[in-house]
Amino acid sequence: MVRRARRINRELAEVYPYAHPELDFRNPFELLCATVLSAQTTDLRVNQTTPALFAAYPTPEDMAAAVPEEMEELIRPTGFFRAKTKSLLGLSAALRDEFGGEVPGRLDDLVKLPGVGRKTANVVLGNAFGVPGITVDTHFGRLVRRWKWTDEEDPVKVEAVVADIFPKSEWTMLSHRVIFHGRRVCHARKPACGACPIAPLCPSYGEGETDPEKARKLLKYEMGGQPGQRLSPPADYPGKPAPALGAG
């Protein structure tokens, strides 16, 4: 299992050499806020929403002083906007009052912030601070169970199992590759098995569409010739930028 898991990671690295966090951000504070907003919605919808949010509140000090009702209107498209506003106001005040207006670079500090759990903390650490971390979102959990790396459902237990399979230096990029594959090919309801580049390594091959032509029609984002999720993707991203809110 370990040998197969590591080979899957190597194969995914060749398929997605451009794998990256799919949230637009320019600094740790923006990534932290965007990750909190990404709960129960798509990264695309977050990316379409955050430009106005960060224009209005570019720093923790600015955000902590926001009028809740005004922030709610800005982030309404992401859903659960009242709870998310409460989290953003709380974490911004904590950053202002306890961390000098800076996002901390330690897991123990991050998870103490309102609305921030291990998943969000690992996203921030891995992509804003270069600290290796495994991001167990719904895609990651689904795929590692399909690949028989673990049968655990609890994200913390999944993280621990996967951390034992791979060297720490691989954790952050492994997370990106697995999540990319889950969003583009290995979907929850109908995986595109017939168009999957790692099909020979998959113990669950056949759960989805195996006909190559039909499977190719299931591919999403750049794999399916459609725009990605970021309005400002990295320079090496081979797909099209996502449209701004209201642009299609």
Side-chain angles (χ1 to χ4, degrees):
M1 183 277 288
V2 171
R3 287 197 299 271
R4 187 174 69 238
R6 292 178 176 176
R7 186 175 172 192
I8 285 174
N9 181 42
R10 292 195 297 272
E11 294 283 342
L12 291 179
E14 293 187 10
V15 176
Y16 308 109
Y18 51 86
H20 58 272
E22 293 192 89
L23 290 167
D24 286 327
F25 69 98
R26 295 169 296 185
N27 54 59
F29 176 62
E30 290 190 357
L31 179 58
L32 177 62
C33 294
T35 308
V36 169
L37 290 175
S38 69
Q40 305 299 314
T41 191
T42 63
D43 286 358
L44 170 59
R45 184 47 56 91
V46 173
N47 291 336
Q48 292 173 326
T49 303
T50 50
L53 177 71
F54 297 141
Y57 316 113
T59 69
E61 292 82 1
D62 295 323
M63 189 170 287
V67 176
E69 292 76 14
E70 294 177 0
M71 184 185 290
E72 287 175 1
E73 285 306 306
L74 288 175
I75 68 171
R76 183 182 288 267
T78 69
F80 301 95
F81 55 90
R82 291 190 180 90
K84 291 178 181 179
T85 293
K86 184 177 179 181
S87 293
L88 292 182
L89 290 173
L91 71 84
S92 297
L95 293 177
R96 178 195 63 195
D97 299 339
E98 300 172 31
F99 297 100
E102 299 291 333
V103 176
R106 295 176 63 248
L107 180 68
D108 290 346
D109 291 330
L110 285 168
V111 296
K112 292 176 184 176
L113 298 172
V116 178
R118 285 187 68 90
K119 186 189 83 170
T120 295
N122 278 329
V123 169
V124 173
L125 289 173
N127 298 290
F129 293 101
V131 177
I134 295 171
T135 302
V136 184
D137 70 352
T138 56
H139 301 287
F140 192 96
R142 180 178 75 252
L143 267 61
V144 300
R145 285 187 288 272
R146 275 184 177 161
W147 294 334
K148 313 301 183 189
W149 295 0
T150 181
D151 57 5
E152 295 286 357
E153 296 281 346
D154 179 76
V156 176
K157 292 180 180 178
V158 171
E159 181 184 338
V161 170
V162 176
D164 283 339
I165 298 174
F166 296 92
K168 185 178 288 189
S169 60
E170 285 291 308
W171 289 356
T172 299
M173 286 308 301
L174 169 72
S175 299
H176 292 326
R177 293 164 191 152
V178 173
I179 292 169
F180 255 60
H181 193 61
R183 286 174 169 165
R184 287 148 177 78
V185 180
C186 197
H187 313 306
R189 293 179 182 168
K190 199 170 185 180
C193 294
C196 179
I198 60 165
L201 298 172
C202 182
S204 298
Y205 176 80
E207 283 188 11
E209 179 59 66
T210 56
D211 180 84
E213 288 299 321
K214 293 179 180 178
R216 272 194 287 274
K217 294 178 181 178
L218 299 174
L219 299 177
K220 295 183 179 179
Y221 302 112
E222 77 282 357
M223 300 288 280
Q226 298 132 11
Q229 298 199 76
R230 292 187 66 163
L231 278 66
S232 301
D236 62 346
Y237 179 65
K240 305 170 187 174
L245 194 63

